[in-house]
Amino acid sequence: MKVKQYFQAYDFDEIYPEIGLMFPNGRHQRKQFQHAYDMLLEIEPVNSKKQIRYQMMKDPDTKEVFFGADDSGFKGPWKVLLGKEVKIEPSVKLTQNEIVANLLLNVVLQGSHPKAFDADYDFIVG
């Protein structure tokens, strides 16, 4: 499935609790993340041949093993990220809600957002 299809398949209220678990400041930024989600549902995706791959990863500093996707997959404009295919390795033990929440977090924090999201982005990272 494409990133946009994941967003279309879930209501924001279904994934918001995961945002707070993955990004503790997000517990106080519901309005901003809701705005991002609504915008992402409205943006027309650009097809991309690149993928976002969820796999077992190792933190180079702590050597901790976790499930996730490489940050480099989230570099680019939101409309391009929405058109990327999401691949999940069989060894990944994340729920669909966790995947969608993680996609949202990474798109918001690492992607290039539209100007209409500037104030919310500044609030999230500020």
Side-chain angles (χ1 to χ4, degrees), residues 6-7 10 15 37 96-105:
Y6 274 96
F7 292 154
Y10 290 84
I15 65 157
Y37 205 72
Q96 291 297 305
N97 285 6
E98 289 170 326
I99 297 275
V100 178
N102 186 267
L103 286 168
L104 178 60
L105 273 173

Side-chain angles (χ1 to χ4, degrees), residues 9 11 17 35-36 40 42 59 61 76 78 84 97 111:
D11 186 69
H35 184 216
L40 289 161
E42 295 297 320
D59 184 299
D61 298 325
W78 281 10
K84 288 188 175 186
N97 285 6

Side-chain angles (χ1 to χ4, degrees), residues 6-19:
Y6 274 96
F7 292 154
Q8 290 171 326
Y10 290 84
D11 186 69
F12 180 76
D13 291 335
E14 293 177 278
I15 65 157
Y16 181 69
E18 299 296 338
I19 297 288

Side-chain angles (χ1 to χ4, degrees), residues 9 31-32 38 48 50 52 62 64 69-70 86 92 99 107:
K31 179 180 151 206
Q32 291 76 22
D38 293 343
S48 174
K50 296 188 178 180
I52 294 172
T62 65
E64 179 184 355
D70 193 281
V86 178
V92 172
I99 297 275
V107 167

